[in-house]
Amino acid sequence: MYNGMGTCPEGSDAQNVLFQFGQLALVVALITPKIFPYHILFLRTVFIVAFLLLFVWAANISCMPDYLGWNLVLFTINCAKVVHLVYTMWPRGFQERDGVYTVLFKPVRMPRLAFKKLCDLGTVLSLKKGECYAVEMKTPADERLSLLLSGSVRVTCEDTYLHTVKANEFLDAPEWESCKPGWGDTFQVTLTAVEDCIYLSWPRKKLAMYLRRETFTKAILDIIIGKDIARKLFAMNEYAIQLGDVTNVNDINDIDSIHFSLASGSHLGHLSRLHSIGNSVVSADIGPISEKSEVSGDSDQKTDDRKTT
C-alpha cells in the first residue's frame, strides 16, 4: 500500500476486486450504444465510477503513485463534465410550456403527449433585453419557427414600430408560411427583445419532416399559426388606421378577405397582400399633429365623396 512514505505492504493483491470492477465499468461505458438522448451523460457518469474505483485501488492496494494521480485527474475532469452536462441539459421553460399548452393547444384538443413530442423536437433558447432575434434584410427567414414562451419582442421595419409579439405568440409565423426552404428569403422586419425572453425554436427541415408523418399535429399547428398571423394582421391594421394610411376601400376589403381566409385556414394566397399592406404601414407619414389632422380631414372628405357617389 502506498501510504505517502513510499512503502507497500508485502504480498499486496494487484488484481483486487476494486481493480476488476473499475475495468468492468470502463468496458460498460465504452460499449454502450448511442440509443437514448442522455447517452453522453450516462457515459461520463460511468467513467466517474470507474476512475473512482481505480483511484481507491491505487491508493489502498497498489503501489503506483503515478497511476493514483492520473485516476484522480480523470475523475475530477469527468465530475466537472457531468456538472456542465447537467446544467446544459436541464430543461428550461417547463412552466412556460405548460402555459402555452393551456392557451394555444388545449383549446383545439391536442393531446398532451402529442404536444410533448412536438416540444421535444425544438430547443428552448433565450434572448437578453436588447438582443435581436432577426434583423431585416440580413437574417434568413427559411431556417426555423419559434414560439415565444415568456417576455415580449418589438417588431420594427426601417425603425418604424409595427407591433409587439407577446408570450404564447409565434415570432416568425408569416415567414414560416410565405418563405420556402432554399429560396434565400430574409426577414423584412427586425425583432428586438424588449425584456429577457425565453422561446422554443424548431429547425425548419426537422419540423417539416415530422409534420409530414404527423398529419394531426400538422393540422393543429396550421390552425394555430393561422390565428397567430390573423392577430398580427389585426394589430398592423389598427396601427395603419391610427396613422391614417389605410384609407383605400380596396385595402380594407383586402384586409377583410385576409381575415376570412386566415380564419378558414386557406391563408397562403393572401400573404403577399399582407406584406404589401404592411409596407404601406411602414411608409406612413408620421408628421406633426397639424399634418395628421390635415391627412385625417382629407381622408374624411374622400370618404364623404365616395358615399355621395
Side-chain angles (χ1 to χ4, degrees), residues 19-39:
F19 177 83
Q20 300 299 330
F21 277 113
Q23 297 299 325
L24 180 62
L26 289 176
V27 172
V28 170
L30 294 175
I31 67 173
T32 302
K34 300 178 181 179
I35 58 174
F36 53 96
Y38 301 107
H39 167 265

Side-chain angles (χ1 to χ4, degrees), residues 111-293:
R112 274 193 177 273
L113 181 59
F115 174 73
K116 182 181 182 301
K117 290 181 179 179
L118 181 63
C119 290
D120 289 343
L121 291 174
T123 305
V124 178
L125 303 171
S126 60
L127 277 177
K128 297 295 183 182
K129 181 179 179 181
E131 288 185 345
C132 291
Y133 171 80
V135 178
E136 58 188 283
M137 307 306 295
K138 293 183 179 180
T139 305
D142 59 351
E143 294 182 350
R144 54 183 172 172
L145 175 67
S146 299
L147 177 62
L148 190 62
L149 301 179
S150 66
S152 58
V153 174
R154 179 184 177 91
V155 182
T156 60
C157 182
E158 297 179 0
D159 296 328
T160 301
Y161 170 80
L162 297 180
H163 62 92
T164 299
V165 180
K166 299 180 181 179
N168 303 326
E169 294 182 3
F170 287 92
L171 290 168
D172 42 15
E175 288 76 16
W176 167 263
E177 292 290 2
S178 62
C179 301
K180 301 301 178 184
W183 284 13
D185 294 324
T186 58
F187 276 85
Q188 303 300 307
V189 294
T190 297
L191 291 87
T192 308
V194 179
E195 54 187 314
D196 291 346
C197 301
I198 297 176
Y199 65 96
L200 179 62
S201 184
W202 294 275
R204 187 184 186 100
K205 291 182 179 179
K206 185 177 180 180
L207 180 59
M209 292 178 61
Y210 177 77
L211 294 178
R212 290 193 192 102
R213 301 192 307 268
E214 302 293 336
T215 55
F216 174 76
T217 301
K218 182 181 185 304
I220 295 296
L221 198 60
D222 284 343
I223 294 173
I224 294 174
I225 289 177
K227 290 181 179 180
D228 186 87
I229 296 175
R231 283 193 295 268
K232 291 179 172 61
L233 181 58
F234 275 114
M236 292 176 62
N237 181 17
E238 292 177 358
Y239 185 63
I241 292 175
Q242 289 176 3
L243 296 177
D245 190 65
V246 182
T247 56
N248 191 308
V249 175
N250 292 329
D251 281 348
I252 297 175
N253 290 335
D254 282 337
I255 290 173
D256 290 337
S257 66
I258 295 173
H259 290 170
F260 176 77
S261 65
L262 288 171
S264 61
S266 58
H267 50 275
L268 295 178
H270 297 279
L271 285 170
S272 59
R273 187 59 187 155
L274 168 59
H275 285 293
S276 66
I277 295 176
N279 291 333
S280 71
V281 175
V282 175
S283 61
D285 180 19
I286 309 177
I289 297 179
S290 59
E291 294 182 9
K292 287 186 179 180
S293 300

Side-chain angles (χ1 to χ4, degrees), residues 61-76:
I61 306 299
S62 175
C63 187
M64 294 184 288
D66 52 344
Y67 194 72
L68 181 148
W70 278 114
N71 280 287
L72 177 61
V73 170
L74 294 172
F75 172 79
T76 304

